[in-house]
Amino acid sequence: MAGSAGNASFDLYQLSEEHTMLRETVRSLAEAKIAPFAAAVDEESRFPQEALDALRAADLHAVHVPEGYGGAGADALATVIVIEEVARVCASSSLIPAVNKLGSLPLVLSASEDVKKRYLTPLAKGDAMFSYCLSEPDAGSDAAGMKTRAVRDGDHYVLNGVKRWITNAGVSEYYTVMAVTDPEKRSRGISAFVVEKSDPGVSFGAPEKKLGIKGSPTREVYFDDVRVPADRLIGEEGTGFATAMRTLDHTRITIAAQALGIAQGALDYAKGYVKERKQFGKPIADFQGVQFMLADMAMKLEAARQLTYAAAAKSERVAAGGKEQDLTFHGAAAKCFASDAAMEITTDAVQLLGGYGYTRDYPLERMMRDAKITQIYEGTNQVQRIVMARNLP
């Protein structure tokens, strides 16, 4: 019997000391330097500059960047913990480390050494942010149906098209852009490029007016005869779509992390409230109906967290060269389950506060609005179920 003699430090389902310390560090920073601005960021629909400054100062804005490019070299689970703890106080701010990973992971996975050095180094330093340009007005869930074109012209490619729903557009300096280089080949005719905000012909639409994550700008990005040097191609021509899908296998887990954080913040607030709020002569926490709601919320959250952390461990093993064939399934499952749980938990948290939960004087209506997007972006939860069904382990 393995371990039958007993092992007080049985670590199989326990965070390492380093991961636990990281959580404590990020939680302290988030509560001190990000939480105080969360309501104003939402109310004013403004970019959370205070969060970016605090995350940069603590080297937490892009922890996934490998050490060889000046980054922290954090593993996938550490990245999840950073995003989770920031999202616990401000979902908009958690999109800084999350989208920096989404935008730059195609480079980590597929780019030449020169492209990695040129773009990952300033990202690690905090001099630039990265965004990811895949979706288009007529290519959402069917991303392979994109129309943005990249036509070879000597030692450049000329890009024309529109990308929609681009997170942190206008703030980010760099954009990973998927574009069609061979229309005959559908997904195998799509290539990936690094485009810079300063490239002539790049412009942005007005910020979308959204239900939630109002502090993170979402805008269209327009490419009007943008000349991109051929050495900014990410990987070989025609491999862009495959890189995009491999990227999402890893980064869906960061959306699960964001959902976990939002749900944890809502549960923590609701727990504190029901102990203080008195009706019928006693705290409402004493009523079994309330206790059952809290129990269900905590149970869903813990199930989502274990699934997400296990998926993050798979992501790390794959990134290190492992052969985890079921990462696609587990990444989709973590994102889908955690975001559904976050929507349920935040909705119940609003209910526990009654009328107060419905007002902007309390943070729960914001958390409920923020939770909704986690069921939609980086692949709707309906698409996640398709992905899971096609990749059953």
Side-chain angles (χ1 to χ4, degrees):
M1 294 284 289
S4 57
N7 178 1
S9 61
F10 185 73
D11 288 329
L12 190 56
Y13 288 98
Q14 173 171 290
L15 288 184
S16 70
E17 191 178 342
E18 291 83 359
H19 287 105
T20 302
M21 285 172 61
L22 174 66
R23 183 191 297 288
E24 290 166 1
T25 300
V26 182
R27 182 166 292 197
S28 296
L29 176 137
E31 289 183 344
K33 300 193 172 172
I34 298 175
F37 304 99
V41 160
D42 176 73
E43 194 73 31
E44 298 162 22
S45 297
R46 68 169 176 82
F47 182 75
Q49 188 62 44
E50 299 89 352
L52 177 59
D53 294 344
L55 291 167
R56 274 200 300 219
D59 202 17
L60 293 168
H61 60 286
V63 291
H64 68 285
V65 177
E67 291 176 353
Y69 310 102
D75 61 59
L77 180 55
T79 307
V80 157
I81 289 169
V82 170
I83 293 165
E84 181 185 355
E85 288 301 324
V86 176
R88 180 175 164 268
V89 301
C90 179
S92 292
S93 299
S94 72
L95 281 160
I96 294 168
V99 175
N100 275 338
K101 180 167 183 176
L102 174 64
S104 64
L105 194 63
L107 280 70
V108 176
L109 292 174
S110 302
S112 67
E113 196 55 36
D114 175 61
V115 169
K116 287 180 185 174
K117 277 190 182 139
R118 207 182 334 165
Y119 292 106
L120 295 178
T121 306
L123 173 63
K125 272 192 202 161
D127 293 343
M129 285 167 53
F130 243 107
S131 287
Y132 182 82
C133 296
L134 179 64
S135 295
E136 296 186 2
D138 293 317
S141 294
D142 179 19
M146 68 178 65
K147 305 269 194 324
T148 297
R149 288 292 310 273
V151 178
R152 186 76 188 236
D153 181 24
D155 56 1
H156 285 73
Y157 286 85
V158 180
L159 269 65
N160 281 283
V162 180
K163 294 293 180 178
R164 180 170 281 177
W165 312 124
I166 307 308
T167 306
N168 292 340
V171 179
S172 293
E173 200 63 41
Y174 304 139
Y175 299 81
T176 291
V177 180
M178 308 299 163
V180 177
T181 43
D182 187 343
E184 302 298 312
K185 293 185 179 172
R186 195 163 159 81
S187 65
R188 288 186 177 83
I190 292 169
S191 304
F193 302 86
V194 179
V195 177
E196 300 181 11
K197 180 165 79 166
S198 57
D199 286 338
V202 175
S203 61
F204 303 95
E208 302 287 352
K209 296 172 181 174
K210 306 190 300 286
L211 175 72
I213 57 162
K214 293 183 177 183
S216 176
T218 305
R219 304 168 76 173
E220 286 191 329
V221 184
Y222 305 118
F223 306 98
D224 185 15
D225 287 335
V226 178
R227 293 182 66 79
V228 175
D231 63 6
R232 288 206 225 144
L233 190 64
I234 300 170
E236 299 294 314
E237 190 176 291
T239 63
F241 192 76
T243 297
M245 295 302 104
R246 282 175 63 210
T247 296
L248 293 174
D249 283 346
H250 293 278
T251 59
R252 281 177 178 141
I253 298 162
T254 68
I255 302 305
Q258 188 182 54
L260 290 181
I262 296 167
Q264 186 70 63
L267 177 58
D268 289 348
Y269 196 92
K271 263 192 328 191
Y273 178 86
V274 299
K275 289 175 186 168
E276 300 295 323
R277 172 72 171 168
K278 290 191 172 153
Q279 289 290 279
F280 306 103
K282 56 184 175 181
I284 62 172
D286 288 354
F287 292 103
Q288 193 177 61
V290 169
Q291 292 169 359
F292 281 9
M293 284 177 72
L294 288 165
D296 281 341
M297 292 157 75
M299 176 177 64
K300 289 171 189 171
L301 179 56
E302 193 53 36
R305 181 172 285 116
Q306 295 300 330
L307 181 56
T308 301
Y309 286 13
K314 286 179 187 292
S315 167
E316 186 59 29
R317 289 193 289 270
V318 169
K323 287 282 187 220
E324 293 275 359
Q325 294 300 322
D326 55 354
L327 173 62
T328 303
F329 174 87
H330 279 86
K335 188 270 188 197
C336 186
F337 189 87
S339 59
D340 282 351
M343 198 67 235
E344 292 167 10
I345 291 164
T346 54
T347 303
D348 281 350
V350 168
Q351 187 72 19
L352 285 168
L353 264 69
Y356 295 115
Y358 206 69
T359 69
R360 292 211 294 264
D361 298 327
Y362 292 78
L364 292 179
E365 61 83 33
R366 180 184 84 238
M367 294 173 177
M368 181 179 167
R369 288 186 286 106
D370 288 344
K372 185 62 204 170
I373 192 61
T374 64
Q375 295 180 303
I376 297 171
Y377 59 14
E378 288 207 33
T380 67
N381 283 4
Q382 287 69 33
V383 165
Q384 302 311 316
R385 288 173 168 90
I386 294 170
V387 170
M388 283 186 273
R390 288 177 181 167
N391 293 276
L392 291 173

